[in-house]
Amino acid sequence: MRKRKIPQVVVERMAVYLRILNEMDTDEPDRYISSQDLGDLAGVGAAQVRKDLALFGEFGKQGVGYQVRLLQDELKRIMNVDRPINVGIIGVGELGTALARYNLRRSADDKAYPFRMAALFDNNPAKTGRRVESLEIFSAEEVVDKVKEYRIKLMMITVPASAAQTATDLSIKAGIKAILNFAPVKLIVPPQVKLLQSDVSLQLHHLAFYL
Amino acid sequence: MRKRKIPQVVVERMAVYLRILNEMDTDEPDRYISSQDLGDLAGVGAAQVRKDLALFGEFGKQGVGYQVRLLQDELKRIMNVDRPINVGIIGVGELGTALARYNLRRSADDKAYPFRMAALFDNNPAKTGRRVESLEIFSAEEVVDKVKEYRIKLMMITVPASAAQTATDLSIKAGIKAILNFAPVKLIVPPQVKLLQSDVSLQLHHLAFYL
């Protein structure tokens, strides 16, 4: 399976399916869920669920559905969250600090939460050397070294728009392959790097439709 | 057209189409875009673009495409962002403060940005009466009164998970019909209220797929 060939909307739905299964978290070996029920919870049709999952393998049984625990394990493996993933943040302003704390709290509350905050970065010398809870803040110049040292695989960018491309270029130079950008600006990344934009303005537009 | 009958994924794509048109922002009356080009920019097929837009009216011309300025105006009208929308935030922690500042900055930078920060709310007496830039912080008890006074139509919830349902219930009591929730908890809302969940964990899961 070539990951890049899977449409982004399918990957988004896979993440939603996994969240639903995680919320059902069960050790009962005989708990099953139908594609209809999984679809209802995810807001898509049963046929879409079957089509999405079929891209990755044969997980269900005709007339019985999917074994919850088994499908959960398979989706974790497919989504690469069957192991901890170290995360960094460049930009320790209010948003960066809030995201760091959020992830620390999630990790503490839920042992199965795969994303581990590893280090923070900021180009303001007044911030470097300080900490957000247990997390050290390093300078932007240290990104390449610390990404390697802390085995950071995923970077969140929470710097102002004007600094976001520089922060992105540094992350890529450090070997980062997946970036979540919160700065309201379009970033340029090479094809081997996956970039997602976290855009509150898009969600506000979406909501405004219903007013 | 019954808004509730439009699938959520279509509304999400409409918001993306509008963002693309806003980024092309033009006064040239003869600038057109094909469904193919709009689809390429939005990451969907040309047929999907035509199907989505056809739900709302006839905007394109066979063989010519859509007039950019006209389609932009129509989408603004459909998405209710052809007028300013007043926004409130309950929970003035790091995330709430970051979001308030972000929206103030967007409004200042872009006169066409429709979302206007109107007021903030927090149940911590040490915060009420203070300000985030120009925005006053009111107590949670004042939500109902101030939502009416400031004509707030859209509420962002940035309180801890344990306080999110109370903040939501207060917003609904105040007449709010659209809520963007950042607390990592499932909220219960009546059918006439539209709730979106802003979930960084879902985006991290999505990104992890590509590692």
Side-chain angles (χ1 to χ4, degrees):
Chain A
M1 181 198 50
R2 295 280 299 281
K3 292 219 158 182
R4 289 283 165 169
K5 300 261 174 176
I6 306 283
Q8 175 160 326
V9 288
V10 175
V11 183
E12 284 171 10
R13 284 194 296 263
M14 292 289 283
V16 172
Y17 302 150
L18 177 55
R19 181 172 62 179
I20 291 163
L21 297 170
N22 284 342
E23 282 167 1
M24 299 178 66
D25 203 19
T26 181
D27 283 325
E28 294 172 53
D30 56 350
R31 182 146 182 211
Y32 281 78
I33 186 167
S34 66
S35 49
Q36 182 67 51
D37 288 348
L38 187 51
D40 286 349
L41 290 166
V44 298
Q48 187 72 68
V49 171
R50 289 194 295 268
K51 206 176 140 195
D52 289 343
L53 295 177
L55 286 172
F56 300 94
E58 289 241 2
F59 306 118
K61 270 187 216 164
Q62 188 83 40
V64 187
Y66 305 96
Q67 201 195 318
V68 169
R69 185 57 191 269
L70 198 74
L71 185 60
Q72 185 187 15
D73 286 345
E74 289 289 350
L75 291 199
K76 280 183 181 173
R77 189 184 50 75
I78 291 164
M79 301 297 287
N80 292 318
V81 291
D82 52 349
R83 50 185 177 266
I85 294 169
N86 289 347
V87 177
I89 295 179
I90 307 185
V92 192
E94 282 150 347
L95 181 59
T97 306
L99 286 168
R101 284 197 217 275
Y102 169 84
N103 274 292
L104 287 170
R105 212 174 308 129
R106 280 291 297 263
S107 298
D109 291 350
D110 175 8
K111 292 297 163 216
Y113 188 69
F115 302 104
R116 304 261 172 93
M117 283 310 310
L120 309 176
F121 303 93
D122 202 288
N123 66 2
N124 180 349
K127 289 184 182 172
T128 56
R130 299 182 66 174
R131 285 175 185 274
V132 172
E133 301 185 19
S134 59
L135 294 166
E136 203 168 341
I137 305 174
F138 299 105
S139 74
E141 289 81 54
E142 293 173 281
V143 168
V144 171
D145 284 350
K146 296 298 175 186
V147 160
K148 285 182 176 58
E149 185 182 335
Y150 287 86
R151 297 181 188 187
I152 294 170
K153 298 296 177 201
L154 214 153
M155 192 69 86
M156 294 197 265
I157 308 272
T158 53
V159 298
S162 59
Q165 187 65 54
T166 305
T168 302
D169 294 346
L170 263 176
S171 305
I172 293 167
K173 196 177 157 203
I176 292 288
K177 295 276 185 295
I179 293 171
L180 183 51
N181 175 41
F182 292 81
V185 61
K186 268 199 180 178
L187 299 175
I188 297 156
V189 298
Q192 73 274 17
V193 173
K194 182 68 187 179
L195 170 75
L196 280 190
Q197 185 75 25
S198 191
D199 191 342
V200 72
S201 142
L202 204 61
Q203 292 187 300
L204 293 176
H205 274 91
H206 178 172
L207 272 177
F209 176 77
Y210 299 96
L211 293 180
Chain B
M1 180 197 53
R2 295 280 300 280
K3 291 220 156 181
R4 290 281 165 170
K5 300 260 174 178
I6 305 283
Q8 176 160 326
V9 287
V10 175
V11 183
E12 283 170 12
R13 285 195 295 265
M14 292 289 283
V16 171
Y17 301 150
L18 178 55
R19 180 172 63 178
I20 291 163
L21 297 170
N22 284 342
E23 281 167 1
M24 299 177 68
D25 202 18
T26 181
D27 283 323
E28 292 173 56
D30 57 348
R31 183 145 180 209
Y32 281 77
I33 186 167
S34 66
S35 50
Q36 182 67 53
D37 288 349
L38 187 51
D40 286 349
L41 290 166
V44 298
Q48 187 71 69
V49 172
R50 289 193 295 268
K51 207 176 139 195
D52 289 343
L53 295 178
L55 286 172
F56 300 94
E58 288 242 1
F59 308 118
K61 271 187 215 165
Q62 188 83 41
V64 186
Y66 305 96
Q67 201 194 320
V68 170
R69 186 57 192 269
L70 197 75
L71 185 60
Q72 186 187 15
D73 286 345
E74 290 287 351
L75 292 198
K76 281 184 181 171
R77 189 184 50 74
I78 292 164
M79 302 296 287
N80 292 318
V81 291
D82 52 348
R83 50 184 177 265
I85 294 170
N86 290 347
V87 177
I89 294 179
I90 307 185
V92 192
E94 280 150 349
L95 182 58
T97 307
L99 286 168
R101 282 197 218 276
Y102 169 84
N103 273 293
L104 288 171
R105 212 175 308 128
R106 280 291 299 263
S107 298
D109 290 352
D110 175 8
K111 292 296 164 217
Y113 188 69
F115 302 104
R116 304 260 172 94
M117 284 309 311
L120 309 176
F121 302 94
D122 201 288
N123 65 3
N124 181 348
K127 289 183 181 171
T128 56
R130 298 182 66 175
R131 285 175 186 272
V132 172
E133 300 186 19
S134 59
L135 293 166
E136 202 168 342
I137 305 174
F138 299 105
S139 74
E141 288 82 54
E142 292 173 281
V143 169
V144 172
D145 284 350
K146 295 298 176 186
V147 159
K148 284 183 177 57
E149 184 182 336
Y150 287 87
R151 296 180 189 192
I152 294 170
K153 298 296 177 201
L154 214 154
M155 192 69 88
M156 295 198 264
I157 308 271
T158 54
V159 297
S162 59
Q165 187 65 53
T166 305
T168 302
D169 294 346
L170 263 177
S171 306
I172 293 167
K173 196 177 158 204
I176 291 289
K177 294 275 186 294
I179 293 171
L180 183 52
N181 175 40
F182 292 82
V185 62
K186 267 199 181 176
L187 299 175
I188 297 156
V189 297
Q192 73 275 18
V193 174
K194 181 69 188 177
L195 170 75
L196 279 190
Q197 184 76 25
S198 190
D199 191 342
V200 72
S201 144
L202 204 62
Q203 291 187 302
L204 293 175
H205 274 91
H206 178 173
L207 273 176
F209 176 78
Y210 300 95
L211 294 179

